[in-house]
Amino acid sequence: MVPIPSHYNANYGLANWLQQHNYRIVYAGTPSLKQHVEEQGFDFKELTYLIEYFPAGIRTKLHHLWRSLRDSSHLRTRYRDYRTTLQSLQALCDQVRPDYILIDEHLSYYYYLLHDKAPNVFFIHSKPPTQPLPAIPPLEYAVPLQNNLLGRLRAWAMWQPYLLRRHIGRLQRRAIFLGKNDMYFVERHARRNGLDPSTIAMRNNALYDLVKGVQRLHIVPRCLEYPWYKPAPNEHFFRRPYERHDARFASTNWQSIEPILDKRAREGHRLLYVSLGTLSKKHADLCVHFLNQVIEAVRPLHGVQVIMVTNKLDIHPTENTPPHVHLMPSVPQQRLLLYCDLMLTHGGMNSVTECLVAGVPMLVYPLNLTSDQPGNAARVRFHGLGLAGTLRRASSMRLRQQIEALLGDPAYHERVELLGQQFAAEIREQERSILPVFGYQPTPSLTSPHPVTAD
C-alpha cells in the first residue's frame, strides 16, 4: 500500500473479512505504520519502497538533467538503489510465500516486479474509478455531470488536457534522466521476465498507468459511483465497514465527548462534526485559516454543538472561542458519527463511507485537489447527500448558509439513509461474488452428521 494510514484504513474491512475466511493477512509498509497495522490484528513486514521519482520545478529538473549529462556515477547510484530495493522486495516475498499479492494501484508498477511471485496478483484501489469514461470527469473536478450529450462532451474536454499533462510529464522524466529514469529499470526487469510493458500498460488513466487484464478491486461503495458506470470484467467493487482499533482512542478520549452528547440529548441540540482527515504539513496554514472561518460561521448558531478535530494544528481554544465549539486533537470518528446530524469533511473516501453507514449528511470542502476528494464531493452532490464548497475561497457567511440549509432540510438525511440501505444490501451481494474471484475453497466440515452417544 501507499504508506499513508488512510490507504490502509480503506481496506481493513476486506482484510478482516478474508481473515474470517482463514486467510492470513500480511501488510508491508514503512516502520511508522507497524503499530497502526498490528493493532488491527494483522501481520506486518517492513518494506523498502521503490518509488518513481517526479522532479518538481524547472530548477530541480535542470539540476537532474545536468547531473545526468555530466556525472556518470549518478546513474550507477540510482541503479544500485534500485537493485537494493528489488532484492529486499524479493526476499520479503520469499519469506512470506504469498498466494495472493494485492498492490495499491498508486504503485501499479510493482506488478512488473511481483507478477511471478504469487499465483495471483491483484490491484486494490481506495478511490473511485479513474479512467476516461462517458460523462465522468477526472477526480480533480468537484462538479457532477449528467449522462447526456453535453455531459459527455464536457467530460471529454476535461480529460484531454489532463491526459496531455501526464504524457508530457512522462516524457520529461525520461528526458531528464536521458531515457533511464526509474521506470526504465522496472521495464527492463519486466522484459527479462517475459512481460513487455509497452503492450500491456494502460496510459489513459488519471493518476498512474495500469496493466491490462489484471484483476482490480475498488474499495469504495458501488452505490456512490455514477449509475451509468459499467465495470470492466476484471473490475470488482468491495467495501465493507470495519471498526478500526486504535490505541489513541482510549476511553478517556470518549469521556471528554460524553458531556457534549448529554447536552445535545437534554436540550435537543444538533451536532456538527468537523474534520479534515489526515493532514500534511504543507496544508497546515490553509487548514488553520479554514477552521477559523468555520468557527466564525457557527458562532451565531444557537442550538448547535460543534466538535472540531484540530489534528495537531496550531489552533487552540481561547476566551473568544464560542462555548458550543469544542476543539479536540482527535476523536473516534466512527463511534461519534452515530450521534451527528452533519459532518463537515475534506471528502476523503473513508469519511464519506463512514457518513453513509451512519446516515449523516455531508458538507464537503476538498483539501487535496490532486486526489479523489473533489471527485468524491461531486458524487456526494450528485446523489443529494450534501453540499460542497471551495476550501481555499471559503467564507464564514457561505459556510453558515450551507450548514443551516443542511440542518434545516430533512431530505438530505433521508437520501443518505436510503443510500446507506442500498450500501448494506450491496455488501451482502459483494461478499458472495468476491469469493470466486479469490478462488476460495471452504474448509470441509469436520462435524459428524450423526449424533454421538456416550457409553
Side-chain angles (χ1 to χ4, degrees), residues 122 152 172 224 249 287 312 329 346 374 414 419 423 443:
F122 295 174
R152 291 176 175 230
Q172 283 183 342
L224 267 177
F249 300 152
C287 291
K312 300 180 181 180
H346 63 307
E414 292 170 3
L419 202 66
F423 180 36
T443 303

Side-chain angles (χ1 to χ4, degrees), residues 39 78 104 160 202 222 227 229 271 274 282 302 333 381 403 442:
E39 284 175 342
R78 289 175 46 242
D104 193 323
Q160 301 318 302
M202 299 170 61
R222 176 67 178 90
Y229 176 77
L271 180 57
V274 182
K282 69 176 182 179
H302 301 289
Q333 178 166 296
R381 292 176 59 187
I403 292 170

Side-chain angles (χ1 to χ4, degrees), residues 318-383:
T318 66
E319 60 182 17
N320 195 37
T321 303
H324 60 287
V325 175
H326 312 276
L327 305 181
M328 300 184 179
S330 62
V331 299
Q333 178 166 296
Q334 291 167 290
R335 186 177 179 186
L336 177 61
L337 280 172
L338 298 175
Y339 301 88
C340 293
D341 299 284
L342 175 64
M343 180 178 182
L344 197 165
T345 172
H346 63 307
M349 183 53 71
N350 289 334
S351 292
V352 171
T353 302
E354 289 166 7
C355 282
L356 188 61
V357 171
V360 178
M362 289 157 270
L363 178 54
V364 186
Y365 272 74
L367 175 60
N368 187 345
L369 301 183
T370 60
S371 70
D372 62 323
Q373 294 169 17
N376 296 339
R379 286 156 174 80
V380 167
R381 292 176 59 187
F382 176 83
H383 290 286

Side-chain angles (χ1 to χ4, degrees), residues 193-252:
N193 288 273
L195 291 181
D196 185 357
S198 65
T199 63
I200 60 176
M202 299 170 61
R203 309 288 191 191
N204 63 333
N205 194 50
L207 303 173
Y208 34 74
D209 295 342
L210 295 176
V211 182
K212 294 178 183 177
V214 179
Q215 299 283 356
R216 302 169 63 193
L217 301 178
H218 294 290
I219 309 299
V220 298
R222 176 67 178 90
C223 59
L224 267 177
E225 190 48 80
Y226 297 108
W228 57 87
Y229 176 77
K230 303 298 182 185
N234 65 318
E235 288 184 288
H236 313 276
F237 284 80
F238 188 94
R239 179 65 186 238
R240 193 171 185 261
Y242 176 66
E243 186 69 37
R244 297 191 302 275
H245 311 289
D246 200 317
R248 294 174 302 164
F249 300 152
S251 58
T252 53

Side-chain angles (χ1 to χ4, degrees), residues 270-272 301 304 341-342 402-410:
R270 315 295 292 278
L271 180 57
L272 167 63
L301 298 184
V304 177
D341 299 284
L342 175 64
Q402 290 178 313
I403 292 170
E404 291 178 328
L406 288 166
L407 290 177
D409 187 349

Side-chain angles (χ1 to χ4, degrees), residues 122-258:
F122 295 174
F123 288 139
I124 188 168
H125 191 31
S126 59
K127 295 176 173 57
T130 52
Q131 291 178 271
L133 295 164
I136 300 180
L139 290 178
E140 66 179 16
Y141 292 92
V143 179
L145 303 178
Q146 297 297 322
N147 188 23
N148 52 30
L149 179 59
L150 179 60
R152 291 176 175 230
L153 288 174
R154 288 184 64 188
W156 181 88
M158 292 174 178
W159 273 105
Q160 301 318 302
Y162 201 90
L163 295 175
L164 180 60
R165 289 197 301 270
R166 283 206 67 227
H167 180 64
I168 291 174
R170 190 183 301 113
L171 294 177
Q172 283 183 342
R173 290 190 296 277
R174 288 190 178 276
I176 288 168
F177 296 106
L178 305 183
K180 296 182 178 179
N181 63 330
D182 303 279
M183 286 305 297
Y184 166 81
F185 302 134
V186 173
E187 292 171 358
R188 189 173 70 167
H189 174 88
R191 291 188 179 94
R192 287 178 174 176
N193 288 273
L195 291 181
D196 185 357
S198 65
T199 63
I200 60 176
M202 299 170 61
R203 309 288 191 191
N204 63 333
N205 194 50
L207 303 173
Y208 34 74
D209 295 342
L210 295 176
V211 182
K212 294 178 183 177
V214 179
Q215 299 283 356
R216 302 169 63 193
L217 301 178
H218 294 290
I219 309 299
V220 298
R222 176 67 178 90
C223 59
L224 267 177
E225 190 48 80
Y226 297 108
W228 57 87
Y229 176 77
K230 303 298 182 185
N234 65 318
E235 288 184 288
H236 313 276
F237 284 80
F238 188 94
R239 179 65 186 238
R240 193 171 185 261
Y242 176 66
E243 186 69 37
R244 297 191 302 275
H245 311 289
D246 200 317
R248 294 174 302 164
F249 300 152
S251 58
T252 53
N253 186 289
W254 187 253
Q255 288 173 5
S256 62
I257 297 175
E258 284 181 332

